[in-house]
Amino acid sequence: MKTIIRKIDNLYSDHKFIEEAAGILQRGGLVAFPTETVYGLGANGLSAEACRKIYEAKGRPGDNPLILHIGDIEGLYEIAEEITPTAKKIIDKFWPGPLTMIFKKRPCVPDNVTGGLDTVGVRFPSNEIARELIRLAKVPVAAPSANSSGKPSPTRASHVQFDLDGKIDMILDGGAADFGLESTIVDATGGKAVILRPGAVTKEMLEGLLGYAEIDPAVLKKPDKNIIPKAPGMKYTHYSPKASVILVKGEMGKVVEEINRRAKEKQRDGLKIGVLATDETKALYKADIVLSAGSRNDEVSIGANLFKILRKFDYLDADIVFSEVFSEKGEGLAIMNRLKKAAGYNYIEV
Ligand code: AMP
Ligand code: MG
């Protein structure tokens, strides 16, 4: 299959491309599109056959459910029921935006969207291209991240093309994603708000609204047979580049020293070493590839750069990547959650 790529510079003058994409969705095809979190791989979310193609193109395990995206709030009531007062309060505050909510599903939602669960994840994105596409398609759009399963999520159209060229019908190129980390997932079906996956809508923001917010234990700890994530997709060690990623934790001066020492040692073994650094420390490292995720004073931009950088280490053929760690406050919780997964929970403490 030839993948059509359309660049959207302007919502009005390039509207014809969004119409073209909506037509593909209506005919059961696959369209990758930008959102404020990461690029999504969209299909008609009410068609089991169209959704099957998502799993096939991504190589996604069948038990990892898809999120349904709506273009306006009315769309929610077609696919979800029993919207608890807590859920209502949260969506009133944070939708449209980088937040997925779990609801009891209506029968029209196909089983392969929910991985057989009786709940469905729903998101109302704020990205204008995404919203216009969904509105024109006139159906909820099932869209997981538009990467090959296991790879870091795509934050640019070029990432999608690298993973899925020839496997999907179209890519809408709307530039770099604003947040660059997948949506926060919150389950309030039981009346209490529980974060199943951290993202740009932070625990602190939910606490500001509700006075509390719980976190699924699997977000903080390595999942094992006693700690099974409530979001099925969180059990996979994904976001990983080809290189083995090792997190190095401790006082900053010692971290730099330890990474340089280990880098030198591994280079002697003939390995290509990467370092995931920050603007503050970048100049201090001696390795083959040193990339800064941004300044520690701006964690939103670190979140936005993270997957791009993990992909770049791949592209530059790093064998091992040593990474600094971040505080788990605010959006740092989401950043560290993805980094820990990328590292397969591989830590060194100095
Ligand atoms: P992605 O869109 O690729 O970020 O993946 C979707 C994420 O949403 C995965 O981690 C899924 O496990 C999670 N998810 C989707 N539907 C549900 C649901 N009904 N209950 C819990 N988690 C869900
Ligand atoms: Mg994904």
Side-chain angles (χ1 to χ4, degrees):
M1 161 190 317
K2 169 132 179 57
T3 301
I4 304 165
I5 300 174
R6 302 285 191 217
K7 191 148 191 308
I8 313 288
D9 291 314
N10 180 294
L11 202 57
Y12 302 98
S13 51
D14 296 326
H15 197 260
K16 56 187 178 293
F17 297 141
I18 307 179
E19 291 165 32
E20 185 185 8
I24 291 173
L25 291 178
Q26 285 173 339
R27 290 192 296 277
L30 299 184
V31 176
F33 61 97
T35 83
E36 67 277 20
T37 60
V38 301
Y39 273 72
L41 179 59
N44 176 348
L46 298 181
S47 159
E49 171 55 18
C51 291
R52 186 194 57 76
K53 294 182 191 167
I54 291 180
Y55 288 92
E56 190 179 282
K58 283 180 57 88
R60 184 176 178 99
D63 68 346
N64 188 0
L66 310 176
I67 292 169
L68 289 185
H69 292 68
I70 53 177
D72 48 49
I73 196 74
E74 287 72 42
L76 173 63
Y77 303 93
E78 289 163 30
I79 51 183
E81 54 192 17
E82 291 179 21
I83 293 148
T84 61
T86 309
K88 180 77 174 59
K89 206 166 169 183
I90 296 171
I91 63 179
D92 282 348
K93 170 87 179 168
F94 296 109
W95 272 5
L99 171 77
T100 296
M101 293 292 300
I102 306 298
F103 298 102
K104 188 159 185 289
K105 82 175 190 85
R106 286 194 183 273
C108 65
V109 178
D111 279 340
N112 68 348
V113 165
T114 63
L117 299 172
D118 61 0
T119 54
V120 60
V122 183
R123 187 159 93 85
F124 179 12
S126 60
N127 179 288
E128 283 295 341
I129 299 171
R131 284 166 66 170
E132 187 59 8
L133 174 65
I134 301 162
R135 281 196 288 255
L136 293 174
K138 297 191 171 65
V139 285
V141 174
S145 50
N147 52 328
S148 290
S149 211
K151 289 285 148 208
S153 292
T155 58
R156 282 163 174 67
S158 59
H159 299 164
V160 181
Q161 195 182 1
F162 188 86
D163 281 14
L164 299 177
D165 196 25
K167 296 180 174 172
I168 63 177
D169 298 282
M170 185 186 265
I171 301 171
L172 288 180
D173 179 353
D178 292 335
F179 294 113
L181 296 175
E182 305 86 348
S183 58
T184 306
I185 302 180
V186 174
D187 183 351
T189 52
K192 274 197 291 183
V194 185
I195 298 171
L196 306 189
R197 177 173 75 182
V201 171
T202 63
K203 176 173 188 279
E204 290 81 354
M205 291 178 193
L206 289 160
E207 283 168 347
L209 178 73
L210 305 168
Y212 76 94
E214 290 184 10
I215 302 186
D216 186 43
V219 168
L220 301 169
K221 295 217 183 72
K222 180 177 178 174
D224 63 29
K225 60 181 188 310
N226 299 314
I227 307 177
I228 297 168
K230 293 263 168 21
M234 295 291 279
K235 69 176 173 284
Y236 297 103
T237 326
H238 48 303
Y239 315 112
S240 28
K242 281 178 288 181
S244 11
V245 178
I246 300 168
L247 307 182
V248 187
K249 189 175 169 181
E251 190 264 310
M252 215 55 241
K254 288 197 179 132
V255 166
V256 172
E257 215 172 89
E258 180 68 12
I259 290 180
N260 282 337
R261 190 184 68 73
R262 289 190 184 238
K264 198 165 164 188
E265 196 178 285
K266 295 291 178 190
Q267 280 174 324
R268 268 195 233 112
D269 298 338
L271 298 174
K272 198 166 179 184
I273 307 304
V275 178
L276 196 159
T278 48
D279 290 355
E280 289 78 9
T281 54
K282 186 174 191 278
L284 304 174
Y285 290 109
K286 294 180 198 74
D288 300 290
I289 313 156
V290 181
L291 300 175
S292 171
S295 168
R296 283 189 176 269
N297 301 323
D298 183 3
E299 67 181 8
V300 174
S301 81
I302 290 182
N305 285 328
L306 184 66
F307 290 143
K308 179 182 75 175
I309 286 181
L310 290 177
R311 280 178 175 264
K312 194 154 179 192
F313 283 122
D314 252 9
Y315 180 74
L316 297 173
D317 278 324
D319 295 302
I320 301 179
V321 172
F322 292 103
S323 175
E324 294 179 8
V325 302
F326 300 91
S327 125
E328 294 190 288
K329 297 223 165 59
E331 204 180 320
L333 183 65
I335 294 168
M336 281 310 297
N337 171 263
R338 308 312 192 270
L339 262 181
K340 284 181 194 170
K341 282 177 170 292
Y345 299 86
N346 226 333
Y347 254 108
I348 297 171
E349 287 212 47
V350 291

